[in-house]
Amino acid sequence: QLQAARLAQARQAFRQGRYPAAYGRFTALADAGHAPSAEISLLMWRHGRELFGSDWSATPVQVRRWTATVVERARAGAGWAEAARGDTD
């Protein structure tokens, strides 16, 4: 419940153009292992100036963790897709 409420707050801040608040909320969720928030945090961190007019800070450890979280989720999703197609060899 708490994570869902925080995610809703992050999304609302983003939609309202309150990007610093959104980044803070998404990064907190990403730090807790929430893969979709890690993906958004990485996008905002990497493309902050060109898309949002600001540079966002993240430690190298955060960037590595977020990247690993996103990759792990992608691999899990790819495995599910292969199983759905019957490609289990």
Side-chain angles (χ1 to χ4, degrees), residues 2-4 6-8 10 24-35 37-38:
L2 185 58
Q3 188 177 56
R6 288 181 177 163
L7 181 58
R25 287 177 172 85
F26 281 124
T27 60
L29 289 161
D31 288 341
H34 187 254
S37 294

Side-chain angles (χ1 to χ4, degrees), residues 29-72:
L29 289 161
D31 288 341
H34 187 254
S37 294
E39 190 170 1
I40 293 168
S41 296
L42 284 168
L43 177 126
M44 291 182 80
W45 170 77
R46 181 167 301 199
H47 302 288
R49 181 161 300 281
E50 62 197 68
L51 294 178
F52 307 103
S54 295
D55 287 323
W56 308 109
S57 64
T59 68
V61 171
Q62 282 177 303
V63 172
R64 282 194 300 272
R65 277 194 212 139
W66 299 343
T67 301
T69 300
V70 171
V71 167
E72 183 179 314

